[in-house]
Amino acid sequence: MLEVKDLYSYYGKSPVIQGIDFQVAEGGFFGVVGRNGVGKTTLLRTLMGLTDRATGTIRFNGQDLLQKTTPERAGAGIAYIPQGREVIPRFTVRENLIMGTFPREDGSRDIPEHIFEMFPILDEFIERRAGDLSGGQQQQLAIGRALAMKPRIMLLDEPTEGIQPNIVQQIEQVLKQLNREMGLTIILVEQNTRFVREVADEFLLIEKGRVSLRGPGEALTGEVVEKYLSI
């Protein structure tokens, strides 16, 4: 579904991502790990066309994404949930979810019912302003907004960071369900290596913008974490 070759991505003249290669199969669950500041977020932003410049190859279902704008990439079925969630605080939950429908090819503004089944709190707080929600509830809203576009692949950047444990567990279960039961392809940037090891088909470990290690999820062992990710 997604093929990345010799990818370089720049802010200004400085390359942050350098020579990265990977593939994600349709229905796959792909994890990206690494210390803070090594380029994980930049990788996701590059896939969405949000850096200053990128070279190499990004192909999604046969399409050359490097030649497409960010809205065109969203229209192709790529959903992005950034670090920090970025819900619209003055908009209600309903309005935020409707915003998620804008890239849909069918033009419908209907909110898929399974979003409320996965996150009942969004239904309960449907007319509440997003800025009045807790951090965990906002994260649920951000995921729900992305699902409203009926994506083919979802990119998530640290979705469990700074969230209360009970909501972390709920988000983890939803991501498993989306991938394993609904066949949604997922690329996850996450510091929680336990979860990546549990769910990822494959993972990349990034250091200084380059891939230092890759393998199946179960290869993200305690020894690897100690060697590459400990402070």
Side-chain angles (χ1 to χ4, degrees):
M1 172 176 274
L2 181 69
E3 181 181 19
V4 174
K5 288 185 178 180
D6 196 29
L7 183 63
Y8 285 74
S9 187
Y10 298 78
Y11 290 120
K13 295 183 179 180
S14 301
V16 179
I17 294 298
Q18 303 178 59
I20 285 185
D21 302 90
F22 65 91
Q23 295 182 15
V24 183
E26 185 167 3
F29 201 124
F30 193 82
V32 182
V33 299
R35 293 188 176 94
N36 290 332
V38 299
K40 304 185 303 297
T41 292
T42 298
L43 175 59
L44 297 190
R45 288 177 58 82
T46 303
L47 296 177
M48 289 305 301
L50 294 171
T51 59
D52 293 342
R53 181 168 65 93
T55 63
T57 300
I58 306 175
R59 298 192 69 81
F60 178 65
N61 286 329
Q63 302 179 60
D64 181 4
L65 287 190
L66 283 185
Q67 306 306 315
K68 294 187 178 295
T69 65
T70 298
E72 287 172 336
R73 299 181 197 204
I78 304 176
Y80 173 47
I81 303 167
Q83 194 173 23
R85 299 175 282 276
E86 296 186 10
V87 297
I88 310 300
R90 292 182 297 173
F91 283 14
T92 65
V93 168
R94 183 192 304 277
E95 290 166 338
N96 271 274
L97 291 172
I98 290 173
M99 281 185 61
T101 68
F102 289 174
R104 277 166 47 177
E105 293 181 347
D106 62 10
S108 172
R109 298 293 176 256
D110 292 338
I111 302 168
E113 192 61 35
H114 69 265
I115 294 172
F116 300 119
E117 295 171 359
M118 293 176 174
F119 299 121
I121 196 69
L122 300 182
D123 193 19
E124 181 180 345
F125 290 167
I126 192 70
E127 302 301 341
R128 186 171 296 191
R129 288 189 178 186
D132 294 333
L133 304 182
S134 70
Q137 291 163 352
Q138 288 186 13
Q139 185 65 71
Q140 293 176 79
L141 176 56
I143 295 173
R145 182 178 61 184
L147 291 173
M149 66 175 280
K150 297 185 176 179
R152 303 186 68 178
I153 186 170
M154 180 180 288
L155 318 179
L156 300 104
D157 193 355
E158 304 279 8
T160 64
E161 181 181 33
I163 292 176
Q164 53 267 48
N166 63 314
I167 295 185
V168 168
Q169 293 175 0
Q170 185 179 8
I171 289 172
E172 290 181 353
Q173 289 302 315
V174 164
L175 294 182
K176 289 180 187 177
Q177 181 181 353
L178 288 170
N179 177 251
R180 295 174 180 174
E181 297 179 19
M182 302 179 68
L184 181 62
T185 307
I186 292 176
I187 298 180
L188 173 70
V189 166
E190 183 57 78
Q191 295 284 358
N192 184 347
T193 54
R194 172 202 57 79
F195 183 55
V196 176
R197 181 171 59 250
E198 178 183 345
V199 299
D201 305 311
E202 297 181 70
F203 77 93
L204 287 185
L205 191 152
I206 298 178
E207 289 186 303
K208 297 180 180 178
R210 297 183 180 274
V211 176
S212 288
L213 192 67
R214 68 178 75 220
E218 58 265 25
L220 189 58
T221 61
E223 290 79 6
V224 168
V225 172
E226 177 68 24
K227 180 177 180 180
Y228 291 95
L229 300 176
S230 61
I231 303 301

